[in-house]
Amino acid sequence: MKSHTRSSHFSLTPLALASSLAVAVSAGQAVAGGFEKATLWDAEYTALAGAAVSSVDDSSAIFFNPAGLAFAESDDIALHLSPTFNKVSSPADGVNFTDGDTTFSPAGGLTGLTILDEKFTLGYGIYASGGAAAKYEDLTVGSVRPVTDDYSTDIKIIEAGLGLSYRINNNWSVGGTYRLTYVAADIELMSNLANGAVGAAVGYNDMTGYNTFGVRLGAMYRSDDDRWGWGINYRSEVDIEADGKTSFRSGAPGFGGQIPLDFSDKDATAETALPMQISTGIDYKVAPHWTLFGEITYTDYSNNEQIKFTSDEVSSLPVPAINSNWEDQYNYRIAAEYSGIENWALRAGYIYTTAVVPEEYAAPTFSSPADAHSFTLGAGTSILDGQVDLDFAAVYDTVKNDDVKGGGNLTSSTQSYAGKYESSSYSLHASATYRF
């Protein structure tokens, strides 16, 4: 069994393959805010509310804190599966509170590490690093000239990482991860035009793109008796530019000279960013079988003012941007692990996440404008004489605001709707780590 008490002693993937991997490891709805769920794919650290920055010592460190690679006691390769079910509800038609569909996201990852010598350890992996998923099927907008279509967001962000850590001494290590980021997105917007009389549907589909440079940098300290530790992890901002197609359909094309003519399958580009993030935390063994964890994560989402769209084939896009005007996010994570049962570790945690979306810019298919709560529970054991670790976790995320004021210009033609917004997510996590 693996607990958190230690002993003292690519080339760029082709587009088609990257698209398949995006489907396989894509992250679910960012219930907590922005483009990121509060926990992602590793079952062990998910059960600990994602509070891994001070203690991670296996190949998952390439994501949580690359300095942790240096404290690994053996080479490993790990498979992580995290099926996630999401639901977002809001006044999506501009009038009525509407239940969204339950969407499914097969988040996950594959990680590994190789100890090069007593000082250096190499890590590698491909894994979900963000995303969003929400859908209202067959939504009708427009009181006089209606349009019926899907209103949805499906964004997948995956990362391929190559990391290296350096063990300074028995207590200190540092490390870094080089990141390749791939994005695939489909965004379907529904809008009420001409004072609500005319409905319109705007699509930005099959949007894909790469960013070929990003980094994670980390440091970790472990006490001589391994009773406590501290860690810090920095993630650089990654600009995202994705190319695809756009379309537009209204209930009354050209109405009063206010609505452009319908079109389809025109080239378009979307631009946004996965922002800078810093996490720092501690773990402390308070009793022989009890360890407590605490961590704070800051994400610079205030730098994301809009998702911008451009096109060389459409001179004036009906929706040239989604105005987000997001706010900075803080995740406060606490967790505990009990290892007093032979060959088992029991884990539980809680995450409080501050709102990223301001009420003024509430959007039906992005995070609900309120603080979020995440509850985590899990267990871990080992088999085959400790050669294989098996970890399991379950997570429930919830966020709700019953009285959103709205009113901000969400797009050039649509104001944010007032009313009730809520999101929830259920996810199961399983990780298998083979040590050799």
Side-chain angles (χ1 to χ4, degrees), residues 374-390:
S374 302
F375 304 90
T376 70
L377 186 67
T381 188
S382 61
I383 59 175
L384 302 179
D385 295 325
Q387 197 168 16
V388 175
D389 290 336
L390 299 176

Side-chain angles (χ1 to χ4, degrees), residues 28-29 84-88 100-105 132-135 153:
Q29 162 68 18
T84 303
F85 301 88
N86 320 283
K87 184 175 182 178
V88 181
D101 294 353
T102 297
T103 62
F104 170 72
S105 301
K135 185 176 183 179
T153 295

